[in-house]
Amino acid sequence: MKLTGLFRVSLVTSALVLAGCGGDIEVTPTVNDTSVTDSNNTTTHNNTNTGSDNSGGDNNDGGTDGGDKDSGTTNPCVSRTVAGQEVQGDYRNSKHCYYDSSFASKALEIKENITFDALPNGGAHVFAGALLIGENCDTTTGCTVPETGPTLTVKPGTTMAFASGEAIIRIARSAKIMAEGTAEAPITFTSANDIEEFDITGFGPQFADWGGIMINGKGLTNQCKNEERAAGLCNAKTEGVTSHFGGNDNADSSGNIKYAKIFYAGSGPREGGVGDDLNSLTLNGVGSGSSFEFLHIHQGFDDGIEFFGGAANLKNIVVTDTQDDSIDIDAGWQGKAQFIYIKHGTIKTKKDVNYTGEDENKQKVVKTIEAGTEGFMGNNGFETDGEKNQGEEYNDVTPSNPTIANVTVVTTDGKSIRDNDPSQAATFDDAIRGQYYNTLFVKEENATNATACLHFKDSDAAQNAANNVLNFHSSVLACVTNFTEGSKDLPGETHTAWWDNDAASIILDKKGDVLAADGFSTNKDSVDITLEANDLKSLNDDFFEEVDYVGAVSSADTSSAWYKWVKEALELADKD
């Protein structure tokens, strides 16, 4: 997606063909800086820039390197104190703030509150490395997780751009992120490769350009033993880049993200092997005190949102063209979600992508997706796993058991570009439980390789379906092929009878007319959808809004903020 203005951000390190599996790229300008910082932490520049690192210094090349520190202007970039010295971002092109490794990196934790405001003229805050908020603590080493920590505040309309495969935003236990945009001024978290001044090679942004957002909470996860949790020694390790999470408080708050876009993040398998990935948004043991609303996650290289336990809630979420799973549930998540729109798609790569994978003998190898490769993006709309660990020593945390309403998943019939796995609406595994309402799963009618919408991977999940602790209500399966041939059998019940649920849901065996002329909303005049939506009143839960339609968004609701959010998200994805 080649965007302009607020959303056009690009990556300094694309010249190095970084593919999401390397370390922080440290880009340090050479500057003769005679700036004077006043008491308001604003700086008047009187410097001469002789930078030669192609990261934003003035190399007399017309500014294509991100260039031209501004002379004689007030610096609006954030400053902070590091080891007794004040460090401030460089103000460039009268638009952007650039922060090198002296300000933030994977070796520097920010222990004070920090705020990023929207910059004028479509400017972005661009980071060479990771932005670590709060102190990571593995309590087995003698440290103590603090009661409170610093807050990262991101104001409406702000663009935060990152220039490394390991450049993540990581929120430690007790720290918070408060990134609440508005419909008119959403926040953007993205690759630095979408900002023209920093896009040296001109490739533009692509998946795996940066690491994504990782939030570590103090909620319950069955990655810890009962005795560890009771002793305050629950320190589950995060995937992708190691830090620690978990505790006893499923009502804990790690902050809120609202009206925000998370683009081009994630990674393929890292040095730990398959499964050791960075996602666009990872919620590790995040409690119900946090909320995540009106998000658009696009073109991540692993999952869109992954839960590892906790009880955080989702509402008004769009996930487009993400390589692996759009929503990945694991390790005992007990949250709620409503209004989730997922669409798998296609891509043509702009540059080589290298990542750690496995060969046919399960040995780790470096794999490459070459520039110009055309392929599909998307494995599962929902990958649902109940637990990481089984046994009495873990049973204080029950398997994942979410309540989810008003979902649309539109799959392809292709196999994904990274792992050649099929595009499916949902997979059920590891004793997963849950109740789904008003769900619409769609597979196009031009099927060529018979991929199916639903897959039962695990016998325990199949048993839970038969026991009615995993069920769909007032839902429509509009797929050419419904269940995979390899699905585990349900004890005493067929897959189709389970979905039918005593006529509470229907199977169409086709796409039919379930989508309206706009291509995404549920067709209010559909002749194929013959059931009534569940109004959700019986849930007796203020979180769930009363509805009269199946799927994520209704064709009768075109003036709502949610309809407009989905429409804009899909238009942006289609341009990419």
Side-chain angles (χ1 to χ4, degrees):
M1 173 187 320
K2 205 67 172 173
L3 306 178
T4 58
L6 181 62
F7 304 109
R8 198 182 188 298
V9 187
S10 54
L11 185 59
V12 172
T13 55
S14 60
L16 302 178
V17 199
L18 184 66
C21 58
D24 283 342
I25 300 299
E26 308 254 339
V27 189
T28 307
T30 302
V31 178
N32 296 323
D33 194 346
T34 58
S35 304
V36 177
T37 303
D38 64 23
S39 60
N40 294 318
N41 289 330
T42 58
T43 303
T44 301
H45 284 299
N46 300 295
N47 53 38
T48 302
N49 191 338
T50 58
S52 59
D53 63 351
N54 290 333
S55 66
D58 182 0
N59 297 325
N60 299 316
D61 61 359
T64 58
D65 58 0
D68 296 345
K69 269 191 179 181
D70 295 318
S71 178
T73 60
T74 299
N75 186 348
C77 304
V78 175
S79 65
R80 72 187 198 92
T81 301
V82 179
Q85 299 293 317
E86 187 174 44
V87 180
Q88 186 174 25
D90 295 332
Y91 190 43
R92 301 183 176 180
N93 296 91
S94 299
K95 294 174 64 174
H96 308 299
C97 289
Y98 176 79
Y99 305 89
D100 66 17
S101 59
S102 67
F103 183 94
S105 76
K106 65 180 181 180
L108 287 176
E109 294 182 320
I110 297 176
K111 303 174 185 178
E112 68 278 358
N113 295 338
I114 190 166
T115 298
F116 293 90
D117 289 297
L119 294 170
N121 305 314
H125 298 278
V126 182
F127 300 85
L131 189 60
L132 308 183
I133 307 300
E135 299 179 73
N136 182 59
C137 172
D138 176 355
T139 60
T140 63
T141 66
C143 64
T144 301
V145 177
E147 287 297 316
T148 60
T151 296
L152 167 64
T153 300
V154 185
K155 296 293 186 67
T158 301
T159 295
M160 307 279 279
F162 296 85
S164 162
E166 282 189 355
I168 63 172
I169 297 176
R170 189 221 67 200
I171 308 298
R173 282 184 284 191
S174 296
K176 287 183 171 61
I177 180 171
M178 300 300 294
E180 297 183 289
T182 66
E184 296 76 22
I187 294 165
T188 299
F189 300 97
T190 190
S191 158
N193 263 331
D194 198 22
I195 297 178
E196 184 174 11
E197 293 89 340
F198 289 86
D199 188 10
I200 298 170
T201 63
F203 289 136
Q206 183 175 277
F207 57 82
D209 273 352
W210 67 291
I213 301 173
M214 178 186 295
I215 304 177
N216 297 336
K218 295 185 284 189
L220 302 172
T221 174
N222 64 14
Q223 291 156 275
C224 294
K225 294 180 179 179
N226 302 336
E227 62 184 28
E228 291 173 330
R229 192 176 301 102
L233 298 175
C234 177
N235 298 283
K237 288 185 179 180
T238 60
E239 292 185 353
V241 176
T242 299
S243 55
H244 300 86
F245 68 96
N248 294 289
D249 187 5
N250 256 5
D252 179 45
S253 174
S254 298
N256 307 317
I257 305 179
K258 186 173 184 179
Y259 280 112
K261 303 168 187 287
I262 306 173
F263 291 166
Y264 311 114
S267 74
R270 304 183 73 79
E271 294 306 314
V274 172
D276 185 25
D277 309 281
L278 290 168
N279 307 298
S280 295
L281 175 60
T282 307
L283 302 178
N284 294 314
V286 176
S288 60
S290 294
S291 66
F292 302 90
E293 304 178 55
F294 284 97
L295 307 185
H296 177 200
I297 295 172
H298 177 66
Q299 210 184 105
F301 199 42
D302 196 56
D303 301 324
I305 301 175
E306 183 161 13
F307 295 93
F308 290 98
N313 300 320
L314 301 178
K315 187 171 279 189
N316 303 110
I317 309 296
V318 181
V319 184
T320 54
D321 300 350
T322 284
Q323 149 60 37
D324 196 2
D325 309 311
S326 297
I327 307 291
D328 194 335
I329 297 165
D330 207 345
W333 179 51
Q334 307 296 324
K336 297 173 283 192
Q338 188 179 19
F339 306 124
I340 311 293
Y341 195 97
I342 294 166
K343 189 174 188 296
H344 294 167
T346 58
I347 190 174
K348 182 175 181 179
T349 57
K350 301 170 183 175
K351 53 196 171 189
D352 289 354
V353 176
N354 303 310
Y355 64 95
T356 302
E358 289 183 349
D359 62 17
E360 60 274 9
N361 298 315
K362 303 296 184 182
Q363 299 297 309
K364 286 194 295 185
V365 295
V366 175
K367 294 187 173 184
T368 300
I369 302 173
E370 295 182 350
T373 300
E374 296 185 25
F376 292 92
M377 295 284 278
N379 291 163
N380 296 291
F382 285 79
E383 177 165 346
T384 62
D385 299 281
E387 52 197 6
K388 280 288 188 184
N389 296 303
Q390 296 178 329
E392 292 185 2
E393 65 267 47
Y394 296 98
N395 64 8
D396 280 356
V397 178
T398 57
S400 304
N401 188 21
T403 303
I404 299 174
N406 293 98
V407 171
T408 298
V409 179
V410 180
T411 69
T412 67
D413 200 54
K415 295 188 176 182
S416 62
I417 195 169
R418 188 181 90 188
D419 51 24
N420 204 37
D421 281 347
S423 169
Q424 301 175 153
T427 290
F428 310 110
D429 197 9
D430 292 333
I432 185 67
R433 306 174 186 180
Q435 301 297 319
Y436 294 76
Y437 299 83
N438 303 328
T439 299
L440 175 61
F441 291 153
V442 181
K443 186 173 286 290
E444 298 289 346
E445 295 194 42
N446 59 347
T448 57
N449 65 5
T451 61
C453 268
L454 300 179
H455 178 56
F456 275 92
K457 188 176 181 180
D458 172 70
S459 296
D460 290 336
Q463 183 66 62
N464 286 342
N467 292 344
N468 291 322
V469 293
L470 172 61
N471 249 333
F472 284 77
H473 311 267
S474 300
S475 295
V476 177
L477 194 55
C479 301
V480 177
T481 307
N482 300 308
F483 296 90
T484 62
E485 291 184 4
S487 284
K488 298 295 183 181
D489 291 334
L490 276 59
E493 187 176 25
T494 66
H495 295 112
T496 54
W498 164 75
W499 178 273
D500 185 69
N501 195 14
D502 295 327
S505 296
I506 57 174
I507 297 176
L508 299 181
D509 297 317
K510 61 181 180 179
K511 176 184 174 183
D513 68 348
V514 299
L515 298 180
D518 58 23
F520 66 89
S521 65
T522 302
N523 182 5
K524 67 181 179 62
D525 298 318
S526 171
V527 298
D528 289 318
I529 299 178
T530 56
L531 53 75
E532 294 290 328
N534 188 306
D535 63 14
L536 308 179
K537 290 180 181 178
S538 63
L539 298 181
N540 195 29
D541 189 324
D542 291 341
F543 172 83
F544 292 100
E545 298 177 24
E546 185 177 338
V547 294
D548 61 0
Y549 60 90
V550 171
V553 58
S554 170
S555 63
D557 193 27
T558 58
S559 63
S560 71
W562 170 229
Y563 182 96
K564 294 174 182 178
W565 184 256
V566 178
K567 183 175 184 291
E568 178 185 342
L570 296 177
E571 288 173 349
L572 289 174
D574 286 344
K575 294 176 182 177
D576 198 356

